[in-house]
Amino acid sequence: MNKVILFLAFSFCSLLVNAKVTLPKFFSDNMVLQRNVQIPIWGWANPSEKIKIQFHNQTKNVIADSKGNWSVKLDLEKAGGPFQLNISGENSIQIKNVLVGEVWLCSGQSNMEWLVRYSNNFKEEKKTANNLFIRYIKVEKNINSIVEKDISGGNWSVCDSTTVGDFSATAYFFAQKLYNELKIPIGLINSSWGGTNIETWISREGFESSDEFKEMIAKMPKIHIDSLNKENILKQVQKVEQIQTVKLKSFSEKEFKELSFDDSKLPILYQPKAWEQQSLGEFDGVVWIRKTIELTEEQSKKTAIIHLSKIDDGDVTYINNVKIGEMNQWDAERIYTIPIGVLKAGKNVIVVKVIDGGGGGGIWEKPENVRLDLENETISLAGDWKFQVESIKLEANQNQFPSLCYNAMIEPLIPFAFKGIIWYQGESNAERAFQYRKSFPLLIQDWRKKWNNEFPFYFVQLATFETKGNSNEGSDWAELREAQTLALSIPKTGMIVTTDIGNPKDIHPTNKQDVGKRLANLTLNNDYNKKRICKSPQYKSMKIKGNKVIVTFENVNSTLQMKNENGELKGFEIAGSDQKFYPAKAKTEKVNQVILESIEVPKPVSVRFGWKGDDSECNLFNAEGLSAVPFRTDNWKSVTIDKKYTFLMK
């Protein structure tokens, strides 16, 4: 009898534990709820459990469905607080210090993720950061190949001098401007991840609705990321072992670094060139490469420096089994001084351990920067290197398959109410800039459909950055900017131009103050009836008169003007029917026109403005200080038109 009683008691306790009412993790102390809309509150409980929700002056009751899901919508609330949100069933939850105001979802890649502490004037910004009415939550990074019902973590923070350093800088300066003008609480939900491509943020259903992507997404298995990864790793092991004809477990670091190691049967990688474009294909992990060179007695005694261009992502470099350098930065030049006595007369072996965590892998960029400098002579190291794989990365990365970040970092937020979205992304899609014309509008439409809300969507055009290409060579960076500009045809969108506040040497410009303020001005003008000039001058039309081109702009407002002291208007180029561009002599005319000409182009056909990555010389603005939007008037072939998004089961 006692055993029966104990069993029943245990079963009853288990039932109570299982019946615990829960909410998504982002419902927590210090949060902000959206004003002037029905406010969705939802969670999970035991099937058929009765749930009571109390907030401010209202109470709602609901019964969990047969799967334990429940949801209610609170009535409209005006801005205010702090309030307490109470949820009770078999257990009770109290969420304290809740405000009602304007909530914005902030997403994208590293320039959205970039923190206040790494931005301009952080010490000064901290002094004015104490604001109980600005709240912030960073959604923890997570991926899955199927949708999650909740985020993996994240807590709301109240803005003050101790917390603001960990806020997204773009989002914070956006919120600061909004609060200063609206004087109501501002909530920021930051769901961003550095280095992510746009395809990881689009839902499966979004891809299925797109003629551009539906064939691609049909190949994506509907299984959990762990199962997907196991299947992927197995295929990759088989592929690698077939290429190198030896088992992965046979690799020996000690033997591979020895000059005496027989590498005659090892496969070859050409360096510098990403291994994704060679036999290894889509591969992340650790690969050892080696190259043997012969030196004379005289050469071996010279001061020597080895150049290995750039290595994606990290390297440890040895010569004759002596470590001479290491680095872990995918875009940094490897230049290592070789200690006297390391080089020998005769054969010398250069061995590089390459650690690739995702994306491209191997030595890359310029062949002339893969060399050995010996005082007054240079030996090229570009060409064939032998390789052997040490290990394969066991975890999928956030860009490896479509929808991974959407499933784990966006879907769980639905149907949380917010005012709109600010978006800063595109750098990782520059290689597929032409296809961004499809993928970017698809993301906007996909998220609006998921929330059943045509919310405002404001985004940052790519900033100035020193990338390859120009009008004559082609520029993927310029084409990505063009794709962003084309998205303005979608209703309730807006774009800010940042070519004047970027840094040609830094893909993460630290002036996020102006980025946030310009985004805020868009929404203040469009959504809050706070009228101000918020759009950049944009190409409208052109007319050719003899050897001159008259370009007309819209969104000029008072007048066009230059920002420099010598009176030279820069950034414009013109071309004839030969499609060869030359810098144009430019001058402003009337309020909204620019007149262009070039002695090299007697019969102009096309105009381009700011058609390269580093647009810092462009100096055409409106009187309110907003830089003109880069553009081209032709539709000549894009250098990225044939680059399409794909994923591979490795």
Side-chain angles (χ1 to χ4, degrees):
M1 180 65 72
N2 289 338
K3 289 183 178 179
V4 173
I5 294 172
L6 286 173
F7 174 77
L8 291 173
F10 177 79
S11 300
F12 180 70
C13 290
S14 298
L15 181 62
L16 289 179
V17 170
N18 292 335
K20 184 177 181 181
V21 177
T22 58
L23 292 166
K25 294 183 180 68
F26 48 87
F27 282 90
S28 62
D29 292 351
N30 306 318
M31 71 184 303
V32 183
L33 299 175
Q34 178 62 38
R35 68 169 178 164
N36 298 337
V37 299
Q38 290 185 313
I39 302 171
I41 309 291
W42 73 97
W44 308 277
N46 208 46
S48 302
E49 186 172 349
K50 295 179 180 179
I51 315 295
K52 179 189 287 187
I53 299 93
Q54 296 173 300
F55 182 73
H56 195 197
N57 295 320
Q58 54 180 304
T59 299
K60 300 287 182 179
N61 293 287
V62 66
I63 298 176
D65 67 17
S66 60
K67 295 182 179 179
N69 301 307
W70 61 267
S71 65
V72 298
K73 288 187 177 180
L74 299 178
D75 299 333
L76 280 62
E77 292 276 355
K78 295 180 179 180
F83 306 118
Q84 183 164 300
L85 175 63
N86 296 316
I87 298 93
S88 58
E90 295 293 338
N91 61 294
S92 297
I93 300 172
Q94 292 82 39
I95 299 176
K96 303 173 183 177
N97 195 24
V98 179
L99 300 180
V100 178
E102 294 294 86
V103 182
W104 285 82
L105 176 58
C106 318
S107 190
Q109 58 180 112
S110 54
N111 272 306
M112 181 59 78
E113 196 174 14
W114 194 258
L115 301 180
V116 174
R117 69 172 66 256
Y118 302 131
S119 302
N120 288 355
N121 306 316
F122 175 50
K123 289 183 179 180
E124 295 301 314
E125 295 293 352
K126 283 199 300 183
K127 295 176 182 178
T128 59
N130 293 313
N131 190 330
L132 299 175
F133 298 102
I134 295 178
R135 310 287 178 86
Y136 174 87
I137 181 173
K138 177 65 166 74
V139 175
E140 283 188 5
K141 295 177 181 177
N142 192 26
I143 59 173
N144 206 337
S145 50
I146 57 176
V147 295
E148 297 272 15
K149 69 177 184 179
D150 197 4
I151 62 173
S152 59
N155 294 295
W156 286 88
S157 298
V158 177
C159 183
D160 62 32
S161 60
T162 66
T163 62
V164 71
D166 294 321
F167 284 27
S168 156
T170 293
Y172 169 68
F173 294 116
F174 170 81
Q176 185 186 61
K177 176 74 170 175
L178 288 189
Y179 178 78
N180 288 341
E181 300 228 13
L182 301 177
K183 301 301 181 186
I184 60 173
I186 306 295
L188 302 168
I189 302 173
N190 179 10
S191 186
S192 60
W193 193 330
T196 49
N197 60 41
I198 198 171
E199 292 83 3
T200 196
W201 295 104
I202 299 171
S203 76
R204 184 183 192 103
E205 294 78 14
F207 286 125
E208 288 173 341
S209 70
S210 166
D211 290 339
E212 180 78 14
F213 294 103
K214 63 184 179 183
E215 184 177 341
M216 174 277 295
I217 200 64
K219 300 173 184 177
M220 180 68 181
K222 295 181 179 180
I223 56 178
H224 191 277
I225 190 68
D226 293 339
S227 300
L228 181 64
N229 204 41
K230 287 178 183 177
E231 183 180 334
N232 195 36
I233 291 296
L234 178 61
K235 290 183 178 180
Q236 193 167 0
V237 168
Q238 293 171 343
K239 176 183 175 181
V240 167
E241 291 182 344
Q242 184 178 17
I243 291 171
Q244 62 186 28
T245 68
V246 294
K247 299 292 184 182
L248 274 171
K249 62 183 180 181
S250 70
F251 176 79
S252 168
E253 175 183 335
K254 181 178 179 181
E255 292 179 2
F256 193 89
K257 291 190 293 186
E258 293 288 347
L259 181 60
S260 59
F261 178 69
D262 181 9
D263 63 12
S264 60
K265 296 182 180 180
L266 291 183
I268 289 170
L269 280 175
Y270 181 88
Q271 299 290 272
K273 187 178 182 181
W275 58 51
E276 281 77 7
Q277 302 169 31
Q278 303 183 64
S279 61
L280 271 178
E282 294 293 326
F283 173 90
D284 301 323
V286 178
V287 179
W288 290 74
I289 61 175
R290 55 182 274 146
K291 190 177 187 70
T292 302
I293 60 172
E294 292 208 23
L295 300 176
T296 65
E297 183 75 29
E298 181 183 1
Q299 287 173 323
S300 69
K301 295 178 181 178
K302 291 181 177 180
T303 301
I305 298 174
I306 189 170
H307 298 253
L308 294 174
S309 192
K310 299 175 181 179
I311 299 179
D312 195 347
D313 296 297
D315 75 291
V316 185
T317 299
Y318 303 84
I319 296 181
N320 296 334
N321 214 352
V322 176
K323 178 180 171 182
I324 61 161
E326 65 179 312
M327 192 178 294
N328 186 28
Q329 188 174 339
W330 69 277
D331 59 349
E333 293 281 348
R334 267 58 170 190
I335 304 173
Y336 301 134
T337 300
I338 304 171
I340 298 295
V342 171
L343 297 177
K344 310 294 183 183
K347 290 185 177 180
N348 293 261
V349 63
I350 303 165
V351 172
V352 183
K353 177 183 180 181
V354 181
I355 307 102
D356 176 36
I363 304 175
W364 65 285
E365 208 180 44
K366 300 176 181 178
E368 60 267 28
N369 287 345
V370 183
R371 67 183 192 271
L372 180 67
D373 286 347
L374 301 170
E375 295 179 4
N376 59 347
E377 66 176 307
T378 294
I379 298 173
S380 174
L381 301 177
D384 292 342
W385 291 59
K386 298 298 184 74
F387 79 89
Q388 190 171 357
V389 174
E390 175 188 325
S391 60
I392 296 171
K393 184 181 177 184
L394 299 179
E395 303 85 16
N397 68 59
Q398 60 272 24
N399 288 330
Q400 192 165 320
F401 300 105
S403 307
L404 295 187
C405 286
Y406 172 85
N407 291 336
M409 298 175 66
I410 298 298
E411 173 77 21
L413 302 176
I414 301 170
F416 192 81
F418 54 78
K419 180 67 174 182
I421 290 175
I422 56 172
W423 173 263
Y424 197 159
Q425 190 275 339
E427 297 90 342
S428 292
N429 277 83
E431 286 186 353
R432 300 188 300 279
F434 195 85
Q435 195 179 39
Y436 204 78
R437 297 177 176 203
K438 301 285 189 179
S439 55
F440 188 29
L442 179 60
L443 177 135
I444 298 170
Q445 294 156 4
D446 181 35
W447 288 16
R448 285 176 171 176
K449 185 175 181 180
K450 288 290 186 177
W451 262 277
N452 192 27
N453 184 356
E454 194 179 49
F455 42 67
F457 194 106
Y458 302 122
F459 54 94
V460 183
Q461 192 178 52
L462 291 190
T464 287
F465 186 55
E466 196 174 75
T467 59
K468 291 181 180 179
N470 53 41
S471 288
N472 290 315
E473 297 171 2
S475 170
D476 58 5
W477 207 261
E479 290 180 11
L480 196 288
R481 289 197 188 111
E482 180 180 49
Q484 291 174 314
T485 303
L486 291 171
L488 291 172
S489 63
I490 302 170
K492 298 182 72 173
T493 59
M495 180 183 76
I496 65 163
V497 178
T498 59
T499 51
D500 60 315
I501 53 175
N503 182 344
K505 303 295 184 182
D506 190 350
I507 202 169
H508 303 119
T510 55
N511 177 6
K512 293 294 191 284
Q513 286 88 340
D514 284 327
V515 176
K517 290 173 183 176
R518 290 179 185 183
L519 285 168
N521 279 332
L522 278 176
T523 188
L524 286 166
N525 181 78
N526 296 347
D527 308 306
Y528 298 108
N529 201 31
K530 300 278 187 178
K531 298 304 177 185
R532 75 269 326 276
I533 306 306
C534 59
K535 294 181 180 180
S536 286
Q538 189 170 349
Y539 169 79
K540 182 179 181 181
S541 63
M542 77 169 186
K543 179 184 288 187
I544 298 171
K545 284 191 174 182
N547 68 335
K548 292 183 173 61
V549 183
I550 304 170
V551 179
T552 301
F553 287 82
E554 58 186 350
N555 301 330
V556 171
N557 304 302
S558 55
T559 186
L560 290 172
Q561 63 180 28
M562 292 178 283
K563 271 195 177 181
N564 69 351
E565 296 178 359
N566 60 18
E568 185 178 354
L569 188 55
K570 295 183 177 181
F572 285 95
E573 300 168 289
I574 55 177
S577 57
D578 62 356
Q579 300 187 12
K580 188 172 182 180
F581 283 88
Y582 295 89
K585 182 179 180 182
K587 64 177 182 178
T588 56
E589 182 83 3
K590 299 182 179 178
V591 171
N592 63 342
Q593 292 182 338
V594 173
I595 311 298
L596 306 173
E597 64 179 314
S598 171
I599 58 173
E600 288 89 355
V601 188
K603 295 182 178 180
V605 171
S606 176
V607 174
R608 291 187 178 182
F609 173 72
W611 202 259
K612 56 183 178 179
D614 180 4
D615 267 353
S616 51
E617 73 169 6
C618 295
N619 59 342
L620 181 66
F621 294 77
N622 60 19
E624 289 73 25
L626 297 177
S627 181
V629 180
F631 70 91
R632 62 172 172 166
T633 63
D634 59 87
N635 60 357
W636 295 334
K637 185 176 178 180
S638 157
V639 293
T640 64
I641 193 169
D642 298 322
K643 304 289 182 64
K644 303 292 185 180
Y645 174 76
T646 59
F647 71 91
L648 294 175
M649 293 297 292
K650 297 181 179 180

